[in-house]
Amino acid sequence: MKKINIAEIIDLIFINILMFLIIFVWAKYFNRNILYSVLISIIVLIAFNLIRSFLRFNKKNKQVLSKNLEADIEQYMLTLLSNSQENNALFFIKLFETKQPKYYKKDNFIFLQGTNIIICPMFNTQELKLEPCLKILNKLSKQDLTQIIFLCVKCDLKLKMLLEKLKNQNVKVYQKNDIYFNFLKPNNYYPAIMFEYKQSNKLKFRELINISFNKKRAKGYFLSGILIFFCSFIVRHNFYYVFMSSLLFLFTLFCLTKKEVSTQKDFFS
């Protein structure tokens, strides 16, 4: 059964509310009849959501992951994170040698014989960091390399773009999904799963409250409230906008003042 993502639902609600307001404001501008304006806004909003759903459903992405596959990939990455650099280098050499036995290891780097390509497993931390990458690039700068590939669990988009745009350095960053689809799956060779996730239970009401009114969500509630509040000055019958903006401001206040409540049971209970 598919898990409910509360954050996505809340975001979807606010997107639809904002879309409705935008459509309604213009519909009201060209048509003074409030009932017709609301009806037009609802029809356009429904059409927008249908088109959006259709486009998302038909998006050509061959690497859409099932929940089970996502869990497997995460567990593979946990194993790589727990291994030493040397063991990870040996693992990837064995992986590559299943189809092309032309790799060798040197200083925990993997070299492809007959080419100037080097592969650097980077599993010291869950997220790739700039400093160790720069040190490696500096160390390898004297070698005539055509490509340097960093393997990692995940990498910040800005860092990925920075590394791949370095002058005189042909760098590629492969993250967990890239590693799975480009290396693990084609070679049918996987790390032994050392750590498994427990089957998660359904979210309780207290957990839903903690997620919905987390302090990080205060900014989103506030900005949405401000937008709706200013919309109340545009329309004549503005009770809905005043009510919604007040509600969003209350949500903001609740996010900022709510004490974090532990969802863990007492050890002795």
Side-chain angles (χ1 to χ4, degrees), residues 198-214:
K198 294 179 180 179
Q199 187 174 2
S200 59
N201 298 321
K202 293 181 179 179
L203 288 174
K204 298 178 181 178
F205 179 74
R206 183 183 295 178
E207 293 171 331
L208 293 177
I209 293 296
N210 282 338
I211 293 172
S212 301
F213 296 104
N214 186 282

Side-chain angles (χ1 to χ4, degrees), residues 90-148:
L90 291 172
F91 166 78
F92 279 102
I93 286 177
K94 289 180 180 179
L95 181 149
F96 297 136
E97 285 180 343
T98 57
K99 288 188 177 180
Q100 191 177 15
K102 295 181 180 180
Y103 294 85
Y104 67 94
K105 179 177 76 71
K106 183 180 179 182
D107 296 332
N108 296 323
F109 300 143
I110 301 168
F111 293 83
L112 174 59
Q113 292 181 359
T115 71
N116 292 328
I117 299 174
I118 185 171
I119 300 172
C120 308
M122 303 290 288
F123 297 99
N124 292 329
T125 56
Q126 186 176 20
E127 187 165 349
L128 191 65
K129 302 296 181 184
L130 175 63
E131 292 81 1
C133 292
L134 293 179
K135 292 182 187 301
I136 289 173
L137 293 176
N138 184 37
K139 183 177 181 179
L140 299 174
S141 61
K142 296 180 181 179
Q143 301 187 38
D144 184 21
L145 298 173
T146 57
Q147 190 173 71
I148 301 170

Side-chain angles (χ1 to χ4, degrees), residues 2-11 67 203 211:
K2 190 176 180 180
K3 296 178 183 176
I4 297 175
N5 190 321
I6 303 300
E8 288 185 4
I9 293 174
I10 292 174
D11 288 341
K67 290 296 179 181
L203 288 174
I211 293 172

Side-chain angles (χ1 to χ4, degrees), residues 64-111:
V64 175
L65 305 180
S66 67
K67 290 296 179 181
N68 290 335
L69 182 54
E70 281 184 354
D72 287 343
I73 293 174
E74 288 293 338
Q75 289 166 167
Y76 295 146
M77 295 302 111
L78 289 179
T79 298
L80 295 175
L81 286 169
S82 70
N83 286 342
S84 65
Q85 287 182 298
E86 183 178 3
N87 286 339
N88 281 333
L90 291 172
F91 166 78
F92 279 102
I93 286 177
K94 289 180 180 179
L95 181 149
F96 297 136
E97 285 180 343
T98 57
K99 288 188 177 180
Q100 191 177 15
K102 295 181 180 180
Y103 294 85
Y104 67 94
K105 179 177 76 71
K106 183 180 179 182
D107 296 332
N108 296 323
F109 300 143
I110 301 168
F111 293 83

